[in-house]
């Protein structure tokens, strides 16, 4: 019992550290997005998103292995096998370096040809687009090499360090955005190179921290062949799922470019930023929980693992619902006060992508649990098939004149299908109760969403589109959502825990004020 209590406290502390990082990043992101859009213009902003997204597709070659790295490191920590950690780390870094070289070769040949010959970009902006392409490739390579270092920090649950590194990166991005108006050279090219420098700095800081705190991160050019086979066997199947997800997201972006042009890419890019800002709160919560799910499976503590899955899915959805509902209801006004120029289609892109994020959040602890088991062949084949279907179905509708929003509607429907598949598979793998999950997670969140949004939507439609109505509707949405989560979403024991936590916090605050 004490171990469970200790683990829960660790999760709570790690979550708070990550929330601080996310809240800071959110504030900076809201400010910098407006400046970037205004400085680059809608067209250049769209070019940056579609080119950067296209380069991101090359991560297919390594993203599957990234999941394997995280899983293997966390699993060995859960078993307490510290001797094997350095072998896993060194093998992981060296494989990422080799794959990075391969990515550079493929992207700078095939990728550059596709950029020049196929993407819908004005010839006068092609040189700038190529500069964005080259810098994006380098950023991608830096990200790939950093993955084992981030994985070891998260596996050890050093979330404060993870949070500080994220805040540092955010501050660096803020600095370059503040400097951007003072450059007279091409703003798109300048921004891409300045952004590259921030990734170089973070890569250096990340390496320094790991070297000082984790002895297993002492790098040497060593590859354990048996371990490499084991990791590639694992990643071979995850390649199907990860590649299909990347094709779904970035492929849809390219389809939008071909059928609607860079302005719609800008709209989707803005929607992605809103989603990233809001969704990061829920994802940070799962970042704190994921190591415990994997470690509990490695220690054969399935009861604690199942309890973590149910509760983490429920509370990450509550958090995301609390943050996203006001934005969904008041999207037009928020975009109007946030951005001087709102590209066409942005409003519904934002709303749909937040609904997609809610569905995706319900699957995150399920994905972690499946990866922890290592039994992923059937899972990856089925999920990969559903995710891959997004591209041909979206193409079918766009070819017949449907609006660009259809790409996200298709992705949302298929993501719901993936959630059902994950539940069915985990019932066989670890004994997860589909009935309990549907009742305690899906139904409760759905009911809270309906109760919390009905009156605010009605008020938003009735009131005029100004600051006072925005404050009233947003405040009403937050209050109703919070009360609904507490009275509908929480069990009696969870309400008791919340009351005690609030009471203890109040007592500490009063005592500190008196002292």
């Amino acid at each position: 019992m004490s171990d469970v209590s200790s683990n829960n406290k660790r999760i709570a502390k790690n979550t708070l550290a990550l929330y601080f990082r996310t809240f800071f990043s959110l504030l900076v992101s809201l400010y910098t997005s407006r400046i970037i859009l205004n400085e680059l213009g809608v067209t250049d902003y769209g070019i940056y998103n579609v080119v950067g997204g296209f380069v991101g597709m090359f991560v297919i070659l390594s993203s599957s292995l990234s999941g394997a790295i995280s899983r293997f490191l966390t699993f060995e920590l859960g078993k307490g096998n510290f001797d094997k950690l350095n072998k896993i780390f060194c093998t992981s870094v060296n494989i990422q370096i080799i794959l990075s070289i391969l990515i550079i070769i493929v992207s700078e040949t095939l990728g550059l040809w596709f950029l020049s010959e196929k993407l819908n970009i004005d010839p006068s902006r092609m040189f700038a687009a190529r500069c964005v392409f080259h810098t994006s490739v380098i950023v991608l390579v830096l990200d790939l090499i950093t993955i084992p270092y981030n994985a070891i920090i998260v596996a050890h649950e050093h979330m404060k360090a993870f949070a500080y590194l994220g805040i540092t990166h955010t501050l660096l991005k803020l600095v370059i955005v503040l400097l951007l108006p003072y450059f007279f050279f091409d703003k798109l090219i300048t921004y891409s190179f300045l952004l590259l420098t921030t990734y170089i700095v973070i890569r250096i800081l990340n390496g320094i921290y790991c070297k000082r705190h984790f002895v297993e991160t002492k790098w040497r050019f060593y590859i354990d062949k048996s371990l490499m086979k084991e990791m590639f066997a694992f990643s071979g199947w995850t390649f199907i799922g990860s590649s299909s997800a990347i094709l779904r997201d970035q492929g849809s972006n390219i389809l939008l470019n071909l059928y609607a042009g860079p302005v719609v890419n800008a709209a989707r890019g803005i929607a992605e930023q809103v989603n990233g800002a809001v969704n990061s709160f829920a994802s940070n919560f799962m970042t704190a929980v994921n190591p415990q799910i994997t470690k509990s499976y490695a220690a054969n503590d399935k009861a604690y693992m199942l309890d973590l899955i149910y509760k983490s899915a429920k509370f990450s959805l509550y958090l995301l619902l609390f943050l996203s509902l006001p934005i969904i209801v008041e999207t037009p006004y928020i975009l109007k006060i946030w951005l001087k120029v709102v590209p066409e289609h942005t409003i519904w892109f934002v709303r749909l992508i937040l609904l997609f994020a809610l569905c995706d959040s319900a699957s995150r602890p399920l994905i972690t649990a499946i990866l922890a088991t290592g039994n992923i062949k059937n899972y990856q084949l089925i999920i990969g098939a559903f995710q891959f279907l997004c591209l041909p179905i979206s193409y079918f509708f766009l070819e017949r004149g449907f609006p660009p929003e259809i790409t996200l509607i298709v992705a949302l429907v298929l993501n719901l299908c993936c959630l059902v598949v994950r539940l069915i598979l985990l019932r066989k793998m670890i004994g997860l109760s589909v009935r309990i999950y549907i009742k305690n997670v899906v139904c409760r969140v759905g009911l809270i969403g309906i109760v919390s949004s009905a009156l605010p939507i009605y008020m938003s439609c009735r009131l005029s589109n100004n600051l006072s109505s925005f404050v009233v509707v947003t405040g009403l949405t937050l209050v109703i959502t919070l009360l609904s989560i507490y009275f509908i979403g929480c069990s009696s024991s969870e309400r008791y825990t919340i009351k005690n936590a609030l009471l203890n916090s109040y007592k500490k605050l009063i005592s500190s004020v008196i002292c």
Side-chain angles (χ1 to χ4, degrees), residues 36-103:
I36 293 168
L37 180 60
N38 291 332
E39 288 296 321
L40 298 184
V42 173
T43 300
D44 274 6
Y45 187 79
I47 290 172
Y48 185 83
N49 276 284
V50 71
V51 173
F54 175 67
V55 172
M57 291 183 67
F58 289 99
V59 80
I60 290 174
L61 298 174
S62 182
S63 59
S64 55
L65 190 60
S66 302
I69 292 169
S70 180
R71 185 262 178 189
F72 274 73
L73 287 170
T74 308
F75 190 86
E76 294 304 328
L77 274 174
K79 291 178 68 175
N81 191 353
F82 293 96
D83 293 335
K84 198 174 179 180
L85 277 176
N86 181 251
K87 291 182 179 180
I88 296 174
F89 178 80
C90 291
T91 301
S92 301
V93 172
N94 294 326
I95 290 174
Q96 292 291 71
I97 291 172
I98 294 169
L99 287 177
S100 295
I101 294 171
L102 179 60
I103 286 173

Side-chain angles (χ1 to χ4, degrees), residues 454-467:
L455 182 58
I457 290 174
Y458 174 78
M459 295 288 289
S460 180
C461 294
R462 298 282 296 182
L463 296 175
S464 57
N465 191 24
N466 55 38
L467 179 60

Side-chain angles (χ1 to χ4, degrees), residues 195-254:
L195 193 63
L196 172 60
T197 61
T198 68
Y199 281 87
I200 294 172
V201 172
I202 291 301
R203 171 65 192 90
I204 294 170
L205 293 177
N206 195 293
I208 292 172
Y209 180 85
C210 288
K211 188 175 181 180
R212 289 182 177 179
H213 291 84
F214 312 121
V215 293
E216 64 268 23
T217 59
K218 185 177 181 181
W219 179 78
R220 55 201 170 103
F221 195 80
Y222 167 82
I223 294 180
D224 186 312
K225 292 182 179 180
S226 61
L227 177 61
M228 183 177 67
K229 288 180 181 178
E230 192 178 353
M231 292 177 72
F232 272 115
F234 183 91
S235 61
W237 293 114
T238 60
F239 176 83
I240 297 172
S242 59
S243 61
S244 61
I246 293 169
L247 284 171
R248 177 197 64 199
D249 297 336
Q250 303 305 336
S252 296
N253 211 18
I254 291 173

Side-chain angles (χ1 to χ4, degrees), residues 23 34 47 84 107 123 171 186 205 216 250 281 289 298 300 311 337 352 361 377 437 462 468 474 479 481:
F23 183 71
R34 176 175 177 170
I47 290 172
K84 198 174 179 180
S107 60
L171 285 172
D186 188 292
L205 293 177
E216 64 268 23
Q250 303 305 336
F281 281 93
V289 173
N300 202 29
K311 288 184 178 179
I337 61 173
L352 287 169
S361 183
K377 177 183 175 180
Y437 193 91
R462 298 282 296 182
S468 58
T474 301
V479 170
T481 305

Side-chain angles (χ1 to χ4, degrees), residues 78-376:
K79 291 178 68 175
N81 191 353
F82 293 96
D83 293 335
K84 198 174 179 180
L85 277 176
N86 181 251
K87 291 182 179 180
I88 296 174
F89 178 80
C90 291
T91 301
S92 301
V93 172
N94 294 326
I95 290 174
Q96 292 291 71
I97 291 172
I98 294 169
L99 287 177
S100 295
I101 294 171
L102 179 60
I103 286 173
I104 292 172
I105 294 171
V106 174
S107 60
E108 292 292 343
T109 51
L110 178 63
L112 200 56
W113 169 82
F114 190 86
L115 168 70
S116 303
E117 301 296 329
K118 299 298 180 181
L119 287 184
N120 183 11
I121 296 173
D122 191 306
S124 64
R125 301 302 296 147
M126 185 54 71
F127 176 74
R130 288 190 176 197
C131 290
V132 171
F133 181 87
H134 295 311
T135 55
S136 297
V137 169
I138 301 172
V139 165
L140 175 60
V141 167
L142 290 171
D143 262 350
L144 294 178
I145 297 173
T146 304
I147 284 170
Y149 293 89
N150 280 336
I152 203 73
I153 292 173
V154 173
H156 279 281
E157 299 183 68
H158 282 212
M159 298 305 177
K160 283 187 179 180
F162 190 72
Y164 291 148
L165 286 168
I167 290 170
T168 303
H169 200 184
T170 301
L171 285 172
L172 291 173
K173 289 180 180 178
L174 175 61
V175 170
I176 68 169
V177 169
L178 293 175
L179 291 174
L180 192 59
Y182 299 98
F183 285 90
F184 297 101
F185 189 62
D186 188 292
K187 296 293 178 68
L188 181 57
I189 297 174
T190 302
Y191 177 67
S192 65
F193 276 97
L194 289 176
L195 193 63
L196 172 60
T197 61
T198 68
Y199 281 87
I200 294 172
V201 172
I202 291 301
R203 171 65 192 90
I204 294 170
L205 293 177
N206 195 293
I208 292 172
Y209 180 85
C210 288
K211 188 175 181 180
R212 289 182 177 179
H213 291 84
F214 312 121
V215 293
E216 64 268 23
T217 59
K218 185 177 181 181
W219 179 78
R220 55 201 170 103
F221 195 80
Y222 167 82
I223 294 180
D224 186 312
K225 292 182 179 180
S226 61
L227 177 61
M228 183 177 67
K229 288 180 181 178
E230 192 178 353
M231 292 177 72
F232 272 115
F234 183 91
S235 61
W237 293 114
T238 60
F239 176 83
I240 297 172
S242 59
S243 61
S244 61
I246 293 169
L247 284 171
R248 177 197 64 199
D249 297 336
Q250 303 305 336
S252 296
N253 211 18
I254 291 173
L255 280 178
L256 290 175
N257 177 264
L258 296 175
Y259 280 92
V263 173
V264 174
N265 290 126
R268 177 159 177 144
I270 292 167
E272 291 283 3
Q273 285 198 322
V274 174
N275 174 54
V278 174
N279 199 24
S280 56
F281 281 93
S283 63
N284 279 334
F285 174 69
M286 287 311 305
T287 299
V289 173
N290 285 340
Q292 286 295 322
I293 293 177
T294 304
K295 289 175 182 177
S296 60
Y297 181 82
N300 202 29
D301 188 357
K302 288 189 179 180
Y304 179 59
M305 180 187 185
L306 288 170
D307 187 56
L308 268 181
I309 291 171
Y310 297 135
K311 288 184 178 179
S312 61
K314 185 171 67 173
F315 283 102
S316 64
L317 275 167
Y318 290 167
L319 178 63
L320 193 55
L321 192 69
F322 178 76
L323 294 169
S324 60
L325 263 185
I327 299 174
I328 292 172
V329 174
E330 286 291 317
T331 306
Y333 188 77
I334 290 172
L335 291 176
K336 187 176 77 173
I337 61 173
W338 175 34
L339 306 170
K340 291 181 180 178
V341 180
V342 181
E344 192 180 359
H345 302 287
T346 306
I347 292 173
W348 277 104
F349 268 130
V350 169
R351 286 171 170 167
L352 287 169
I353 210 165
L354 287 175
L355 290 175
F356 179 87
L358 281 166
C359 179
D360 201 45
S361 183
S363 289
R364 283 179 180 168
L366 305 179
I367 296 170
T368 303
I370 291 171
L371 294 178
T373 66
N375 184 17
I376 60 173

